[in-house]
Structures are given as C-alpha cells and as structure tokens.
Amino acid sequence: MKEQLKELETEALEKVQLAEDTKALQDVRVAYLGKKGPITEVLRGMGRLSKEERPVIGQLANEVREHIQDAIDSKQNSLEEAALDKQLEEEKLDVTLPGRPVQVGGPHLLTNILEEIEDLFIGMGFEIKEGPEVETDYYNFEALNLPKGHPARDMQDSFYITEELLLRTHTSPVQARTMKQKDGEPVRMICPGKVYRRDTDDATHSHQFTQVEGLLVDKNVRMSDLKGVLNTFAKQMFGSERDIRLRPSFFPFTEPSVEMDISCKVCDGKGCSVCKGTGWIEILGAGMVHPNVLEMAGYDPDVYSGFAFGMGPERIAMLKYGVDDIRHFYTNDIRFLKQYHKV
Amino acid sequence: MLVSLNWLKQYVDIDEHTPEDLAELITKTGIEVESVIPVAEKLENVVVGHVLSCEQHPNADKLSLCKVDVSDEILQIICGAPNIAEGQKVVVAKPGAVLPGNFKIKKAKLRGVESNGMICSLQELGIDEKDVPKEFTDGIFVFQENVEIGADAVPLLNLNDVIIELGLTPNRADCLSMLGVAYEVAAILDQPFTPAEEEVHPITERASEHISVKVDAPDLNPYYGAFVIKDVKVGPSPLWIRNRLIASGVRPINNVVDITNYVLLEYGQPLHAFDLEKFGSSEVVVRRAENREKITTLDDQERSLNEDHLVITNGKEPVAIAGVMGGADSEVDDNTQTILLEAALFNPAAVRTSSKDHGLRSEASTRFEKGVDPNRVRRAGEKACELLENYAQGKVLKGVVEFDELDRAPQEVHITTTRINNRLGTEISNEKIGDILRRLQFDYKQDGDTFKVIVPTRRGDVYLFEDMLEEVARIYGYDNLPFTLPEGESQAGGLTLYQQLKRKVKAYLEGAGLNETITYSLTRESRASQLTSREVADRAKSPVRLAMPMSEEHSHLRLSILPELLASLSYNVARKQNDLAYYELGSVFISEEEHVTKQPEEQLRLAGAMTGNWHVHPWQQEKKAIDFYVVKGIIEGLAEKLDIPLTYHASRYPDMHPGRTAEVLLNGETIGFFGQVHPKLQQELDLKETYVFDLNAEKMFKQYQKEEAFQAIPRFPSIKRDIALVVDESQQAGAITTTILEAGSPLIKDVEIFDVYQGEHLQDGKKSIAYSLLYMDPNRTLKDEEVEKAHKKILDAVKEKHLAELRG
C-alpha cells in the first residue's frame, strides 16, 4: 500500500506539471484528490490493515494528499501569473505618443518680477502698500517736495484730468499717504503699482509702466542702512556675485539722492556694450527722505530719518531676461507671455 | 553740458588721469558722465600747409591743382573745395594720415593727375557740421592767423581734445559753467583751483554818459549791469576761443558774439550784446511787457508779449525778451562799433514762463531758469570786457551802470560731525570733515564738532543740513559707507488678506489654464465704457477723460478691462495664435460725477477673454472648443476656491450674445457677467466664437472668510435618489435646483444634474432634466421613510413651481 501511495504521488505530481491551463489542473485535482479519486480509494481500504499499520499509512496518505495539493496550488499560481503576463503584454501602449494636454496658464512676466521683489522685501520686514492710480496733485507732487512751479515737475510730464487730479507719475504718493496714515509710527513699506507719464510709446518708453518704491522711516535710520538693504536686494535679485555702487543723483523728495548701479553681469564689470563700457548698470534711484517730506507727513526730521528707493520692474525684466522692447509687456502676445511661465 | 578736457586742464591738473578714469571718478562722486568723446582719434600727418599756387585741374572743371608747402616738402594736391585759393594757410592731411571714419590718405591719381594728400575741411577732421563756422561749412578750413607752415594742425585745431558729456541733474546748475566744473573736479581730485581775476583797462570816458538803467520790476530783475565798449572791430575771434566754442558744441560766429558765448560757457552767466547805435535811446528800462506788445527777435520771428513776460526796453519799445532772446533791431552786425553789454540776473520763474510761452529754449534761458551765481554776474561782464579789449580792439568805458538790489549773501549751514555720522552710519573724524570742506572750497568756522559752513553762492543748491550731508558723503565716497541693516524695532512683513487673495485668484486661474495679461488703463472713448458690467455702468456717468490726451487711442480711463483684452485676442489671432485664454486683474475707474472733481473710485475687477479650442488631443480625436460652460466652470471653480455663494441668471448686455449671457450675483447683488461676445462684435474684431467674464474682485474678496471652523467628516451613510423631470423648455435648470434644495432642506445635501434631454419621446417644447439627489444626516443613519417623505416634498414643490412631471 505504501508503494501504491508513492506511485500515485509521483504520477499525480507529473500530471500537475504537465497541466497547461487551469482547466487541466482542475482535472488533475478531481482525478487524484476527488471523492472518487485513488487516494480516497486507498484510505477506504485501510480497514484491512493491522492496527500498527493503520496510522502509518493514514499519515502517509495525508502527506501524499498535501504534496499533491501544494503542487496544484503552486501550479495554479504560476498559470495565473502567466495568463496575467500574457494579458498585460497584450495591453502594451506606445508610451511615446503625446499625452492628453493639461491647460497650463501662467503669470505675466511683470507679476513674476513684482512678486519676487515683494517677497524679498517681506523677508526684510516690509509691508506692501497700494494706492490710487488717479492721484491728487498734492500727494503726487506737493507732499513730495515738488510745489507748483517747481522745475523738476518738468522731468515727468503728466496726464492731468483736472488741475488737481492726475494719473500718478510714480508710486511715491503711496509713501506720502502711508506716512500720514502711520501718524508718527515707524514705516517699512514698499509700494508696487502702475504709473503713467506723457511719453510716446517706443522700444524704451511706455505711457504706462510699473514701479516699485520703498520707504523706511524710523529713529536713527542711516544711509549705510540704505546701502545694506539695497545690497541684500541686489544680491538676491541679480545673484550673489553682483556688486553694487551708489553715486550721487537728484530727486526732489530725497537728500542726499543716489543712483544704484550693479556690476554688469555680461562682462562681470569689465566693460562691454551692454553696460556701455562702464562695467555698471543703473538699476534704481534712492536717497534719504527729504526733511520737507518728513515734516509734511508729520515726522520731526530732527528725530526721524528714513530712506526711500524706487525701481522699474520693466527695466529689471529687460536686464534680467534681455527683453528688447518695453512694448512687449503690454502687447500680450501669447508667444511672449508663455516664454516666462517657467520663470 | 559738454566739457572740453583741454579747456579744463587750464584750471585743474587732470594729467594723471585718463579721460575714462576721470569720467568714472566724476560719475561716482558728482555728476553722471554720459559719454566720453575724443574729437578725433589719434590724428597724425595733419599739418599746416601754405598754398603756393592754385590752378584749374586740366581735366576737371571743379577741381583745383595746388602746390602746397608743408615745410619739409612741396606737395601737389588736387582739391575740390570751391573756397581754395593761392596764399591760404590750410590743413593738409599728408599721405599716411588716417582721418576720422577710418579714411586713409594715400597718393592717388585724380583724373590723370597725381595728388599727394588732401586739403581738409573741419568736418573731415571730425568736427560736427553744426559747430563749423558758416564760412567753412561748404569748403576747406582756412587759418586766419599767422600759423607756422608745417606745424602739427592737431593741437592748433584742438583735435586732440576729449569731450566729456555731463548729464546734469536740475540741482547742479553750478556745473553749467566751466568754472563750476573746475571747482567740482578740483574737489574730486583734491587739486587746487583758483579762477583768474578779470583784467579790464577802462578808458576815462564813463559809460554813464551814454546809458542809464531803470528797473521797474526789481522782483524779476534784482540786478542789471550795463557796460559800454566802443571802437569795437567785429571780425573772427581767435582760434583758441573758436576751438573752445566748437568743443562745447557752440558754432563760432564773430568775436563779439563768440565772446558773450565764451563767457556764458566759462562763468555760466548769460550776457547780451546790443549795438548801442541801434538801441534807439540812451536808457535801459526793464519792465513787464504790456499785453499784445510786439517784438521781432533775433530769429526774425515777430512775437506777441503779455504781462507775464519780462522785457528789456529802450524806454519806448522792447529790445529783448529778458534772459531769452534779443531783438533783431539792435543786433550786433559786422559794422557795429559801440556795444552795450548786458550782465543781469533775471528771476528763474519769469524766464521759464517766457521761454515756455515762446518755445525758445537757449543756453541762456536754461541757465537763468536754474539760477545763476549772484556773485558772478558783474564779473562775467568784466570778463567779456577784458576779452573785447583783447580780441575786438574794444575800449571799455569806465564804470558799469547798474541797478542793484541783489542779495549776494552766502548761505550758512551748521553741521556737526556727530549728526553727519549718525545719518551716514560712518565714523568720519572732525579733521576729515574739515578736509572735505577745504576740497569743496567751502569756508567754515569750526568749534569742536560743530562746523559753521559758509556755502559759496555758486552752490545755490546747498542750504540745508541734508544738502551738506550729501556734499560730505559724496566727497567722502559712497563706496566708503559700510553696509548695515536698519536697527529699529522690526515688524513682521507680509501680505494683507486682500493681497493674499489676489495671488490666490491668480494662481487658481493660471492653474485652470488662463494666462495673465496687463493691458493699458487708458483707452479710446468708444472702448472705455464698452462691455461694462451693469453695476458699474449704472453708477459711472461716463468714462473719465484726460484733460490733454496725447492721442485719442489713450484718452479715457477704462470702465471695463474687456475691450483691451479683446483687442489683445485680435492681435494674437491676426498672428495665427487661435487658442487663447486670457485674464487680467486690474482697476477700472468709476466716477459718479458729470464733471470730475474727486478721485474716481478704483475698483479691482477680474476679467477674462477666451477663444478657440480649450482642449485638443489630435491623435485621440478629442477636441473641445471654448464655450459658455467652460467659462462658467471656471467661475464656479473660483467660487468654490473662495467659498463664496455665486448665483447666475440669464441677462442681456449690449455687445453680448442675447441668449448666452449671464449675470453673476453674490448674495443677490450683481457683481459681474459672463457669456459670449455678440457675433457682430466678434466679426468686427475678426474673432471667432469668443467668451468673456468680468467680475468685481473686491466684492468677492470681502465675502471671503479665511478662518473656517472644522466640519466633521460624515460618519453616516448618505442615500442617493435619481429623478428625471419633464418641464417646459423655458424652465431654467438653476431655478429648479434652487426649488429642490429649498424643499428638501435639511436632509438634502447635494443636487447634481446628470442629463439634459430634448427630442424624441418627448413632447415638443418640453425637455427632461435628470437630477441626482443626495440625502444625509450628519448625526445618524437615515431611515427610508424619512427620505421618502423629503423626496415627495421635493416632487410636489417642483410640480407646483415649475409644472414638472416625473418622467416615466
């Protein structure tokens, strides 16, 4: 009987191996392990065995049954896997075909620049202030030390609506308004926004453009603070290898007034056509807030001092990305707009 | 201001610096140098030649065959200039010379005759034609003075000069003079500089015997000095004066005019020379012009005056517009013998008005407008007298006839070293401050740390502590300031909620596939109020107009962003860019006044314009054009992003498709609209189907609640029921949805439309809308009977309100 069982086992395991699909495997299972199968048959004949033999044969029969069952299970698994493999192979795609496009929009280049500047100054504790684009003559000029008839008003021919109202020519009126609003408290703010000047639109002029100005007023503000803040700004905006320099200039609302240059990126300060051989590129105007401006806004210029600066994001974008015509910013050619989505 | 370095060298030692280095130093310390221009680059083999003979070229009518002595040889040169003549001393470029423009002079044959060099015009030597004396503009230059034959012509004609162009800011009027520039450069280089004294040798005859001076408007003319010079011989001025004028961009004319111009350039003080014999009287009267009074100025223009204009008169009629231009009648000419020389100080604003009203800006008016040095007016007159003595054989009469109420006192500014250092963040010593003041040639009295600075009147821009701060800082050097950061109490910078929302909305729209644009706020009248949202149009009387627009194209402030946005679409479509989704977040300008007196309300609006395909995936044959519901989806997404309850109803707008336009409401109040642009307008703009939206961003932002209490995630199951309702086609789905939500409250949580059908199996004029309803109670599992009850209530309500039948 032992031999019989062993034989059955060998025979069954062979058939399991030969089964080509799950159906054939099922047949093997029924044939050997089914109720009418040979192992059941063997077990039925156990009555004829001696008391000593019975448990031995019983155990062996169970072992054989288990072996066969394990073989079937394992075969079943590999058959299923093969079937899945086959199916998956058939489902193969051409991964090089283009995917279904997702609409990708993006910000305007000027917004990118503005937000970069904003975030940089926010990091230095500045607030962002906004103000009206239609301003009063008072805030646009007078509060900034530009009384009526002041020759420096010539520098910025303006779009007037009435004698007292005009499109702001700079965002400086927001500084004047903020100082009034702060009512003697320290100020740290920048004011980005649209400004307007009577210029004929061409490659370098636009009747509408953007400005960011900044103002810091407190006790004991020093010009070296201005230099430090602008240096931090310039290095973050244009790269840590850039140097800055200040040189004298004139604005009615600051004294001393300076212009800030950064070392030319193209030639690394050696002098090239971009920087007109000077090695420097003008980036912004700045200065210590004029005492008249402080006074008009209610700050005692003997106690308080401050600095202000102003820059043109269009110019910065033109320098940073080599945009060659300011009109690109306002024409909204999709081919221009899309170039800067990655910025 | 053009500064000749050869001229400057006469005052200050600049030899240690190259022009480029000097320019860099001036830029860093004082005034921006805009350009450095050599008159002619390294000119050699250009010498004085003596024309020994001049005959006509045998083969050419207009050419001359000349023999020219250049000292070491006699050259045969063919010359084409009409003014060549025997005996002249001319400029010869010998073979081997390279003239400006890389023009190489070689031996050549002209019409068969050898030519060994070229006789030059000033233009050929690098001088701008506008600066060339008129007599030489059409031919060669001829020396009038006795120059050595064979001498190097380069220094003689100042061709080795380098000009630096200063970009003067309005405060630095002091550098509108060579003396001012000399003081500035001397301070920068720490070099000594003392201007020469004027040397006049008057004769005994007194000027007051010939002229009197009366000023009726001393506020506008606090000083008027009249010099009289007789026996003047008008002729060309000496080469050195002409050279300096040319280098400064001023064309030489004759010695009298050149001398007044020369003094203007050197002292920054405009002068005017009248021909005393043609002056018409012996009295100078300065007064405001009478209305409609006339004068013919030097440029032969008759000009009408009014009382805003200050004039010089001869007691009867105007002979000059003060500080701007002289009259033609008393102009100096070749026969002039007696000169009345005016050295005066006119009020800047008065000169500005005259110059503006008559469109006359001159070297003189510019200087008066910016303010001249009161201590240099008379001296400038004396300098001109000295030069007229020397170069026009003039005899200066004794005494200047003056009206003088001029305040010549210098400003005194007190500074302390401590305050300077506190403001600059520096540790400059008292000695250093004293040293800087010495370099600037500012007198001072020092008392410990305090300096009482007496600012020279040439520096009219310096009168406050801060002005002195700038002087000290720039001479000390901005490069020497340390880098520090502000020490005051720091505040947390950051964006306000409003600013955060602007960024949030932009990010949402860009994520949804729209591109941000920036268009002009100023537009043409027809566009300014086109496609304006109802709530804006209801309030705005009319778009705000500029008082003096530059063009009609940019004459009015916009009431809607859309017209310019549509123009941008047209621009792109015309360039074959057909699939466009644009938005802009910007202000419109609303004035409720008929005639604007107050600032208009600036309202932040969010507008978009879209045309073409929204989605294309060609190889899968997918294509979805932008339509009404694409735009609506974007707005609904925005409402979800901001969590604000927007509702919509059909509406009609001018320039919009009458059946495809919806008004957008927030809490029952109109805040904007969207839909398809009217096909007629689309056609006008060469656009295909185009959709727009325009929303009041401020109203939406106000509704936004940042802090939201946590809502428990539902733990109990919801129950979904679908219904299909048959209604008249005029019924609007949105209204039915509202009815369902109201009737099903509080158990109904969501309503979704999953099918809209019209056609077969339905009566004409009917449509079927299929809704999926979701019931839920956050606190327990709903029982079937409860849902049944709510569902029945809903069906009753839609039947009653919308005559809706359940579709069988």
Side-chain angles (χ1 to χ4, degrees), chain B residues 483-721:
Chain B
F483 293 100
T484 60
L485 287 175
E487 284 175 351
E489 207 175 306
S490 65
Q491 58 183 27
L495 297 172
T496 61
L497 178 61
Y498 180 81
Q499 290 158 352
Q500 287 171 29
L501 286 171
K502 284 207 277 190
R503 288 198 185 186
K504 192 185 176 91
V505 162
K506 286 178 177 185
Y508 161 73
L509 288 172
E510 286 153 19
L514 278 72
N515 292 289
E516 189 192 13
T517 58
I518 301 175
T519 58
Y520 293 132
S521 311
L522 285 170
T523 185
R524 58 179 77 247
E525 185 170 20
S526 59
R527 281 186 191 165
S529 50
Q530 198 177 28
L531 292 167
T532 300
S533 186
R534 192 179 312 283
E535 88 282 9
V536 172
D538 283 351
R539 292 180 43 217
K541 279 275 180 249
S542 59
V544 175
R545 185 179 202 280
L546 296 179
M548 283 189 305
M550 286 179 78
S551 67
E552 284 310 311
E553 201 183 341
H554 304 300
S555 54
H556 288 73
L557 282 167
R558 65 186 179 188
L559 282 167
S560 168
I561 298 169
L562 291 177
E564 287 292 329
L565 215 46
L566 286 175
S568 288
L569 295 192
S570 294
Y571 176 92
N572 280 283
V573 167
R575 283 156 186 79
K576 304 268 180 293
Q577 305 295 315
N578 297 319
D579 302 334
L580 300 158
Y582 274 4
Y583 84 91
E584 180 169 343
L585 187 61
S587 290
V588 302
F589 303 82
I590 305 166
S591 173
E592 295 184 65
E593 300 175 293
E594 194 94 48
H595 298 288
V596 180
T597 62
K598 296 191 296 269
Q599 282 168 281
E601 176 192 327
E602 292 179 30
Q603 192 181 83
L604 187 71
R605 294 193 74 91
L606 178 61
M610 303 163 75
T611 187
N613 284 313
W614 180 234
H615 171 80
V616 187
H617 197 205
W619 69 269
Q620 290 190 320
Q621 282 82 50
E622 288 176 21
K623 198 179 211 177
K624 169 83 188 119
I626 287 163
D627 65 15
F628 183 89
Y629 296 104
V630 166
V631 179
K632 187 168 182 193
I634 289 168
I635 297 172
E636 286 170 332
L638 179 68
E640 191 179 332
K641 190 82 194 161
L642 297 176
D643 191 20
I644 54 173
L646 295 185
T647 54
Y648 312 88
H649 66 63
S651 187
R652 281 170 190 263
Y653 268 75
D655 291 315
M656 291 292 287
H657 189 302
R660 295 181 179 178
T661 299
E663 209 152 87
V664 181
L665 298 93
L666 177 61
N667 300 328
E669 191 189 342
T670 301
I671 62 153
F673 71 102
F674 71 96
Q676 188 188 338
V677 173
H678 198 289
K680 273 193 197 158
L681 182 58
Q682 286 176 179
Q683 204 181 356
E684 262 172 54
L685 296 168
D686 279 329
L687 291 170
K688 302 224 172 74
E689 219 168 279
T690 299
Y691 292 84
V692 294
F693 63 88
D694 172 34
L695 302 166
N696 182 335
E698 283 172 22
K699 283 266 162 69
M700 295 194 289
F701 291 175
K702 268 194 197 119
Q703 180 74 24
Y704 176 83
Q705 300 283 328
K706 193 172 188 180
E707 308 305 332
E708 188 77 51
F710 169 74
Q711 287 190 344
I713 308 300
R715 289 186 295 145
F716 298 97
S718 54
I719 294 174
K720 199 173 140 192
R721 291 282 164 89

Side-chain angles (χ1 to χ4, degrees), chain A residues 100 103 130 225 255 341, chain B residues 470 484 502 515 614 622:
Chain A
R100 173 173 289 115
Q103 293 302 313
E130 290 159 294
D225 298 335
E255 186 73 32
H341 285 177
Chain B
E470 175 162 43
T484 60
K502 284 207 277 190
N515 292 289
W614 180 234
E622 288 176 21

Side-chain angles (χ1 to χ4, degrees), chain A residues 213-251:
Chain A
E213 298 199 10
L215 173 73
L216 187 146
V217 176
D218 206 338
K219 288 174 183 158
N220 304 319
V221 178
R222 304 159 297 187
M223 199 159 179
S224 56
D225 298 335
L226 169 65
K227 201 173 162 185
V229 165
L230 292 182
N231 189 50
T232 308
F233 162 74
K235 287 202 172 346
Q236 296 202 42
M237 193 79 193
F238 298 100
S240 55
E241 63 285 4
R242 299 271 68 80
D243 292 325
I244 69 158
R245 73 165 183 189
L246 304 181
R247 54 182 170 79
S249 188
F250 172 76
F251 307 107

